Amino acid sequence: ERYNSSINGIIVLAPFLGDKEVIEEIAKAGGLTKWSPGEIDKDDYQRKLWIWLKSYKDSNHSLPKLYIGYGRDDSFAKANRLLAEILPKKQVHTVVGGHDWGPWKNLFSYFVNTRDCFK
């Protein structure tokens, strides 16, 4: 939060967003919008991360734009889709492939060449 005004955008490529247990918990709730974790342990960084990510669903203008890209066969695709569901479609891009350099290079090139995240 301290640097929000200094950051125009964040690009994440196939990010690790939590262990299978946390991802299943969010999916079972019906997605991030419907997910409510209750009290979160102070050391539970994964659920704290998702709470912060959930704030993107409100189009909070104080947050930098978040762009996500991932391969449709990536091992983290399920978690990435949960995040992508709450972002504007123009901030999400997927490609063929898994968790590997080929898809990541294509995604990075796409965002650099077609997005306003560096302006």
Side-chain angles (χ1 to χ4, degrees), residues 13-14 71 74 95-109:
L13 303 178
D74 193 298
V95 295
V96 173
H99 199 76
D100 200 2
W101 283 105
W104 299 336
K105 289 183 343 188
N106 291 337
L107 290 161
F108 186 73
S109 177

Side-chain angles (χ1 to χ4, degrees), residues 62-73:
S62 68
L63 294 171
K65 282 186 180 179
L66 179 61
Y67 299 85
I68 184 170
Y70 59 94
R72 291 185 285 278
D73 297 318

Side-chain angles (χ1 to χ4, degrees), residues 61-116:
H61 296 289
S62 68
L63 294 171
K65 282 186 180 179
L66 179 61
Y67 299 85
I68 184 170
Y70 59 94
R72 291 185 285 278
D73 297 318
D74 193 298
S75 55
F76 300 148
K78 183 174 186 174
N80 294 179
R81 275 191 303 274
L82 289 169
L83 174 55
E85 288 173 358
I86 67 162
L87 296 175
K89 299 286 184 220
K90 67 181 182 173
Q91 291 172 219
V92 177
H93 189 65
T94 63
V95 295
V96 173
H99 199 76
D100 200 2
W101 283 105
W104 299 336
K105 289 183 343 188
N106 291 337
L107 290 161
F108 186 73
S109 177
Y110 172 80
F111 283 117
V112 168
N113 292 312
T114 62
R115 297 293 178 210
D116 63 343

Side-chain angles (χ1 to χ4, degrees), residues 17-37 40 44-54 78-86:
L17 297 173
D19 293 327
K20 185 177 181 178
E21 172 190 333
V22 175
I23 304 311
E24 290 300 323
E25 177 184 314
I26 295 167
K28 187 181 249 186
L32 189 53
T33 302
K34 295 179 181 177
W35 175 69
S36 180
I40 299 174
D44 189 346
Y45 73 92
Q46 294 181 29
R47 285 179 181 81
K48 287 180 180 181
L49 170 64
W50 279 101
I51 289 294
W52 178 75
L53 291 171
K54 190 174 180 174
K78 183 174 186 174
N80 294 179
R81 275 191 303 274
L82 289 169
L83 174 55
E85 288 173 358
I86 67 162

